[in-house]
Amino acid sequence: MPNLFKLPTWSGAEFVHVVVETPRGGRAKLSYDPELRTFVLSKSLMLGLSYPYDWGFILAGSRRELKMAIRSMPSSFTTPRRLPAS
C-alpha cells in the first residue's frame, strides 16, 4: 500500500482526496500508520454501537491531517476517495 500521507490534497480544481479510515457501520476505529503503510486498530466501540458515518482525513500541508465525518456518500471501505470540494 502506498504512503497515504503523500497523497495530494486536491484532485483537479473541484475535488479533494479523502482517506476513509473507518467505514460507516464499523465497530472498530482504524487509524492509518504511515510507517507500516497500513490501517491499524485504534479502539473498539462498546457492544451494539457502530459508527454512523465514514470517518477519515484530508491532508492540509505537510503531514497535517484534518479529521472529518463524511456524510455525502454511501458507506465505503478503508480507502482513498475523491470528493467534490463544495
Side-chain angles (χ1 to χ4, degrees):
M1 177 179 283
N3 186 345
L4 297 179
F5 280 128
K6 293 184 178 180
L7 187 69
T9 302
W10 292 96
S11 173
E14 298 181 13
F15 294 93
V16 292
H17 286 118
V18 176
V19 177
V20 176
E21 293 178 301
T22 303
R24 181 177 65 201
R27 294 192 51 239
K29 171 73 173 94
L30 304 175
S31 294
Y32 179 71
D33 186 328
E35 291 180 14
L36 296 175
R37 293 185 178 186
T38 191
F39 294 91
V40 296
L41 179 65
S42 178
K43 68 177 180 177
S44 294
L45 294 178
M46 294 185 335
L47 186 64
L49 297 178
S50 64
Y51 284 93
Y53 305 110
D54 288 340
W55 290 90
F57 65 88
I58 63 172
L59 295 177
S62 60
R63 293 185 56 127
R64 195 179 76 159
E65 305 171 45
L66 298 173
K67 297 280 187 174
M68 66 181 63
I70 304 163
R71 299 175 50 189
S72 63
M73 68 173 64
S75 181
S76 61
F77 298 103
T78 51
T79 181
R81 303 283 296 202
R82 196 176 90 149
L83 296 178
S86 55

